[in-house]
Amino acid sequence: MMGKELEQLRNRVDEINLQLLSLINERAELVQEIGRVKETQGVYRYDPVRERAMLDLIKENNNGPFENSTIEHMFKEIFKAGLELQKDDHRKALLVSRKKKSENTIVDINGEQIGNGQPHLVFGPCAVESYEQVASVAEAVKAKGLKLLRGGAFKPRTSPYDFQGLGVEGLKILKRVADEYGLAVISEIVSPNDMETAVQYLDVIQIGARNMQNFELLKAAGQINKPVLLKRGMSATIEEFINAAEYIMAQGNGQIILCERGIRTYEKATRNTLDITAVPILKQETHLPVMVDVTHSTGRKDLLLPAAKAALAIGADGVMAEVHPDPAVALSDSAQQMDLNQFDQFMNALKLPSQIQV
Ligand code: PEP
Ligand code: MN
């Protein structure tokens, strides 16, 4: 009876499949064990000499019907899978990764819950220039029911002859304005030495694009007890960006907001190229909130609104943009900052349902 014979053969194949499965997994366990031994000895995992010896032994004993080349191909796949297993064992999931923590991290800035599903907006001048200048933006920000103010006190500039910021004086201005208007302030710190001073004045420490891979600065930011807004480096891949955040979190500070601010490409129509899909990728790969800086990414006032809408539509937790009471006389980024009128129009056009107008 053909039917019966076929069934028996198939049953035998099933049995062998299960034997292969258990043998492959037994092999995997041994490979993992070897990986652990190698780790204690500080030996590199991939060992081509050993692989060659294993393949030779297998081929010497191959009596067919498979060709040696077919056998070699199949065993190479098994070797590769074993190596991957050792790697995974070794390289544990990053602390910032979704793999490590599936729930969204919410960064609390004086009650503003960044990452709670609502959009959060950060406005303020490129650089802190005077108390009056910051206060007039603060007034406009507060009038819109917003809570977050930005302003650079330490300005990393392309030319050493350009305005470098007011330094600690600038931090003091920010603190005074924050207290007077009930706002939280975000400002960039460029040196690990300034970190301790900065936390006395600021609510959020910004690490700028130029410093995304300043590892000592990242480590210093990881040791403070304040949220950090980390901007993507100008030429950083998403993987490098995520690893920069890992530097901060590895030191114990998990209050991190990622900020896409455009990357350098060959395109000259905008100051940088806003990598809008970085937002959902970062949201998938990490559990951290993600913001988009529409000013430095576009460098064009006519693109601030569409870029902000796109950012929120694609899932950003917030948007940052620069506002100056008189951009024409600004000491930095004069062309791309909104004046107060434009800020008003921007806010009206953005039409956030959750926006509390006071
Ligand atoms: C800034 O936000 O003030 C700034 C300098 O931006 P970036 O680091 O993204 O260039
Ligand atoms: Mn700027």
Side-chain angles (χ1 to χ4, degrees):
M1 273 192 293
M2 270 308 273
K4 184 108 179 135
E5 194 185 338
L6 188 61
E7 197 181 305
Q8 275 173 356
L9 291 170
R10 281 180 169 166
N11 286 344
R12 182 69 192 127
V13 167
D14 278 341
E15 269 171 39
I16 292 176
N17 281 346
L18 295 180
Q19 280 169 7
L20 283 173
L21 176 68
S22 109
L23 283 172
I24 283 175
N25 278 325
E26 190 181 332
R27 185 187 189 282
E29 278 168 18
L30 287 170
V31 165
Q32 277 179 315
E33 191 55 42
I34 291 171
R36 281 190 280 272
V37 173
K38 279 190 179 175
E39 185 161 298
T40 56
Q41 295 174 354
V43 183
Y44 189 52
R45 290 192 165 72
Y46 176 58
D47 182 349
V49 177
R50 167 74 182 141
E51 251 194 34
R52 168 51 53 208
M54 287 196 292
L55 282 177
D56 286 347
L57 181 70
I58 291 162
K59 284 194 291 188
E60 270 163 34
N61 287 280
N62 179 27
N63 299 319
F66 279 127
E67 295 278 352
N68 271 350
S69 59
T70 310
I71 287 290
E72 185 165 329
H73 176 74
M74 289 194 288
F75 273 89
K76 273 297 285 184
E77 285 302 311
I78 294 176
F79 296 172
K80 222 165 68 192
L83 203 62
E84 287 299 313
L85 204 61
Q86 286 183 335
K87 254 199 243 159
D88 279 352
D89 228 37
H90 172 67
R91 213 197 303 148
K92 301 265 189 314
L94 295 181
L95 299 170
V96 297
S97 70
R98 280 263 176 226
K99 239 193 251 170
K100 190 78 182 177
K101 176 173 171 268
S102 59
E103 326 84 72
N104 288 332
T105 286
I106 294 182
V107 175
D108 187 296
I109 308 173
N110 296 356
E112 278 283 290
Q113 311 261 301
I114 319 294
N116 66 353
Q118 298 295 317
H120 299 270
L121 307 176
V122 184
F123 297 100
C126 181
V128 174
E129 294 163 5
S130 67
Y131 165 78
E132 292 73 21
Q133 172 236 17
V134 179
S136 78
V137 180
E139 194 178 322
V141 163
K142 190 183 161 87
K144 294 282 174 203
L146 301 170
K147 292 274 186 288
L148 307 171
L149 186 72
R150 59 147 286 145
F154 296 91
K155 295 303 298 177
R157 303 300 301 280
T158 304
S159 164
Y161 306 116
D162 285 340
F163 176 58
Q164 303 287 306
L166 297 180
V168 177
E169 198 47 48
L171 299 182
K172 289 182 179 164
I173 291 173
L174 286 169
K175 171 86 178 129
R176 180 175 160 202
V177 172
D179 290 346
E180 287 176 5
Y181 290 85
L183 301 173
V185 281
I186 302 173
S187 196
E188 176 169 354
I189 293 304
V190 296
S191 161
N193 301 334
D194 292 327
M195 208 55 90
E196 257 182 67
T197 313
V199 294
Q200 298 166 36
Y201 300 105
L202 302 176
D203 300 289
V204 180
I205 303 293
Q206 178 170 313
I207 293 186
R210 287 154 196 81
N211 276 315
M212 190 208 80
Q213 280 192 321
N214 182 338
F215 299 116
E216 295 311 313
L217 187 64
L218 295 172
K219 287 181 200 167
Q223 287 161 11
I224 59 170
N225 192 16
K226 282 270 159 91
V228 178
L229 185 134
L230 175 65
K231 293 190 130 192
R232 179 176 182 180
M234 294 203 260
S235 307
T237 63
I238 291 176
E239 189 182 4
E240 288 164 342
F241 190 17
I242 291 174
N243 272 291
E246 183 74 7
Y247 262 91
I248 300 171
M249 196 157 177
Q251 296 290 320
N253 187 357
Q255 293 277 291
I256 306 163
I257 302 165
L258 301 173
C259 183
E260 162 62 38
R261 47 79 71 205
I263 47 175
R264 182 165 281 184
T265 70
Y266 52 80
E267 181 51 67
K268 293 188 292 191
T270 48
R271 178 171 168 176
N272 289 288
T273 298
L274 174 56
D275 181 8
I276 196 75
T277 52
V279 175
I281 295 172
L282 290 166
K283 298 282 300 174
Q284 279 164 33
E285 298 281 322
T286 80
H287 48 78
L288 302 173
V290 180
M291 284 197 175
V292 172
D293 174 343
V294 291
T295 298
H296 294 96
S297 52
T298 66
R300 285 175 50 159
K301 281 201 255 190
D302 60 332
L303 298 180
L304 298 178
L305 182 64
K309 285 181 174 173
L312 296 179
I314 209 164
D317 298 286
V319 166
M320 175 187 274
E322 288 180 349
V323 178
H324 189 289
D326 189 358
V329 301
L331 293 172
S332 57
D333 285 351
S334 160
Q336 67 192 29
Q337 304 194 59
M338 289 183 267
D339 64 24
L340 298 177
N341 225 345
Q342 289 159 337
F343 169 57
D344 192 51
Q345 287 164 11
F346 175 93
M347 283 302 294
N348 293 339
L350 199 57
K351 285 198 230 71
L352 295 182
S354 60
Q355 205 56 55
I356 324 137
Q357 304 279 341
V358 292

